[in-house]
Amino acid sequence: MANPQSTVASRRERRAAERANRGEPRPFRPSLGRGRSGPSLGLISVAAVVAAVGLIAFTAVSQPRSPDTSGLVDPGAPYPTAIRDGRALGRAGAPVTLVVWADFQCPVCARLAEEVEPILVNRYVTSGLLRIEHRDAAILGMGGSGDESLLAAAAARAADEQGAYWTFHDWLFANQDGENRGGFSHERLVAIATAAGLDIARFEASLDGGAGRTAAQAETAAGRATGINGTPTLEIDGQRFVGLQPAAELGAAVEAAAAAKGVTPAPSPAG
């Protein structure tokens, strides 16, 4: 009986001889070798792609997104540092005090800040006659953790910790976007703070800490207890004005309050 292995070998030899006679090349047969073979090129390529995708995804998640500041309005130069005192403008010993109760979402408050307040600052604050103090009357929000009036008030207090209350005050009023429509969401407040040049890590830590929100709530409640139910409400040495008032009328009230104390207003440039 013929050995099977020798029969197979002879067949291979005959086929090889026939191919050689016809001039055909020997077919390529990959060597499988013995024992464990290494990973194929295809598997290596797939693994490399998966690793690259994973690295890109990790990088995207681990690196924080920069706040989107596009579309924000720059209010221009803030009031001079010399007259800024925390949440007030003017020297502490000024003869007359104007208290402004405002909500950063209030459009009329924005007009007061942009159209009337600068005239009063130019005429009376810079001369030392008047001190303007800002108070929170955060009454327009919808309540809850996303209350935009309270968030904006808390954000302004966070800016105050960096000596930038009035800078941020101006940025907020310049970038109102309707009431309770996301204009002063947490994300947009961070964007505004970024545009205003604040230290963002410090700003967010303060904003998220909750102390500013609690203080704004307490101040709002104190105002309500004295009848502050609308914004803006202004008090000049106790005399109350509700709503937007002409600079001339407020100026007359300031001068009358000063005269009542025997103080004559120093001449100042007209605003």
Side-chain angles (χ1 to χ4, degrees):
M1 182 174 181
N3 187 332
Q5 291 183 350
S6 62
T7 302
V8 172
S10 62
R11 289 175 181 172
R12 289 175 179 168
E13 290 170 356
R14 285 198 302 272
R15 286 196 295 268
E18 291 172 356
R19 283 193 298 269
N21 292 334
R22 293 194 300 268
E24 296 178 359
R26 183 178 180 180
F28 172 75
R29 296 179 183 274
S31 175
L32 298 178
R34 297 189 180 187
R36 292 187 63 183
S37 61
S40 70
L41 182 60
L43 290 177
I44 293 175
S45 299
V46 171
V49 171
V50 171
V53 171
L55 179 61
I56 292 171
F58 173 78
T59 303
V61 171
S62 61
Q63 293 184 353
R65 269 189 326 178
S66 298
D68 182 9
T69 59
S70 62
L72 293 179
V73 177
D74 187 336
Y79 289 116
T81 303
I83 65 170
R84 287 185 279 169
D85 183 17
R87 297 167 65 220
L89 294 170
R91 63 188 182 91
V96 182
T97 300
L98 165 60
V99 176
V100 178
W101 294 87
D103 185 314
F104 285 111
Q105 289 202 95
C106 166
V108 181
C109 297
R111 288 189 60 192
L112 174 72
E114 295 168 353
E115 300 172 13
V116 177
E117 212 166 63
I119 297 174
L120 299 178
V121 168
N122 188 44
R123 288 182 179 174
Y124 304 111
V125 173
T126 56
S127 67
L129 183 70
L130 178 68
R131 177 177 172 88
I132 299 176
E133 297 179 353
H134 189 277
R135 304 279 171 83
D136 287 319
I139 61 178
L140 298 177
M142 300 294 287
S145 60
D147 186 306
E148 293 186 46
S149 291
L150 285 173
L151 279 173
R157 289 171 180 268
D160 184 34
E161 294 176 5
Q162 299 186 41
Y165 177 82
W166 289 98
T167 298
F168 198 71
H169 161 282
D170 294 348
W171 273 90
L172 286 174
F173 280 133
N175 288 281
Q176 289 180 338
D177 191 25
E179 296 175 17
N180 306 307
R181 294 171 50 189
F184 293 149
S185 65
H186 185 285
E187 182 179 4
R188 195 160 187 265
L189 289 169
V190 171
I192 292 172
T194 300
L198 299 184
D199 180 327
I200 297 305
R202 185 179 172 191
F203 174 82
E204 286 196 87
S206 177
L207 181 60
D208 296 339
R213 182 188 182 97
T214 299
Q217 286 176 312
E219 194 163 81
T220 298
R224 284 187 183 277
T226 64
I228 306 296
N229 297 310
T231 56
T233 297
L234 298 86
E235 296 175 313
I236 298 177
D237 279 5
Q239 183 181 1
R240 185 169 289 182
F241 302 83
V242 179
L244 185 65
Q245 308 294 324
E249 182 175 339
L250 294 175
V254 168
E255 294 180 13
K261 298 177 180 178
V263 177
T264 302
S268 57

